[in-house]
Amino acid sequence: QVPVVESGGGAVQAGGSLRLSCTAGTYTFTYCMAWFRQAPGKEREGVAVIGRGSGPPHYADSVKGRFTISSDNAEDTVYLQMNSLKPEDTAMYYCAARYQEWSETCSSFNEDAFTYWGQGTQVTVSS
């Protein structure tokens, strides 16, 4: 079992920024890592995903141009920089991880493919 721990959530006003962090034990650089979110009364949705190697990250259309996912292999940490936040970004944000073979791509938001999940961190954006 890989412990996945998120941090960095909070309450901000619309237009503000937050940076979420996620650690998944050691060897994070071997994982495909993703951020998902779930708003009250809605299904969980993929937000951003990043894999090992040089492949580009992928984003949900709703956050493109505002959110940036990045990884720091030395710190075994994945970040989600969220700028220009909107009230509709309010949700519980979850980090998820799965081992990624070098031959695989890491671009899907298929929840069933992710093995390890964190408990979530709340993001609340007020208007």
Side-chain angles (χ1 to χ4, degrees):
Q1 187 69 21
V2 173
V4 178
V5 181
E6 307 97 336
S7 62
V12 295
Q13 291 190 327
S17 299
L18 282 173
R19 188 177 77 161
L20 306 183
S21 301
C22 172
T23 60
T26 54
Y27 307 113
T28 302
F29 63 93
T30 64
Y31 296 149
C32 172
M33 303 285 293
W35 287 96
F36 291 82
R37 67 185 181 185
Q38 187 168 22
K42 294 187 177 181
E43 293 188 353
R44 190 159 55 187
E45 62 175 354
V47 175
V49 60
I50 189 169
R52 66 190 306 180
S54 60
H58 295 267
Y59 299 93
D61 288 343
S62 58
V63 306
K64 282 181 181 177
R66 300 188 298 121
F67 290 12
T68 303
I69 188 171
S70 61
S71 61
D72 184 334
N73 293 335
E75 297 293 329
D76 285 318
T77 302
V78 171
Y79 300 99
L80 184 67
Q81 178 67 44
M82 306 185 295
N83 298 329
S84 302
L85 282 161
K86 304 175 181 180
E88 50 263 46
D89 294 318
T90 295
M92 184 70 78
Y93 283 70
Y94 298 91
C95 182
R98 66 171 177 84
Y99 179 73
Q100 180 190 355
E101 297 283 355
W102 276 112
S103 59
E104 291 183 282
T105 59
C106 174
S107 60
S108 172
F109 291 128
N110 178 8
E111 294 185 28
D112 292 337
F114 288 88
T115 311
Y116 309 109
W117 290 81
Q119 295 299 306
T121 185
Q122 178 68 38
V123 171
T124 302
V125 185
S126 59
S127 57

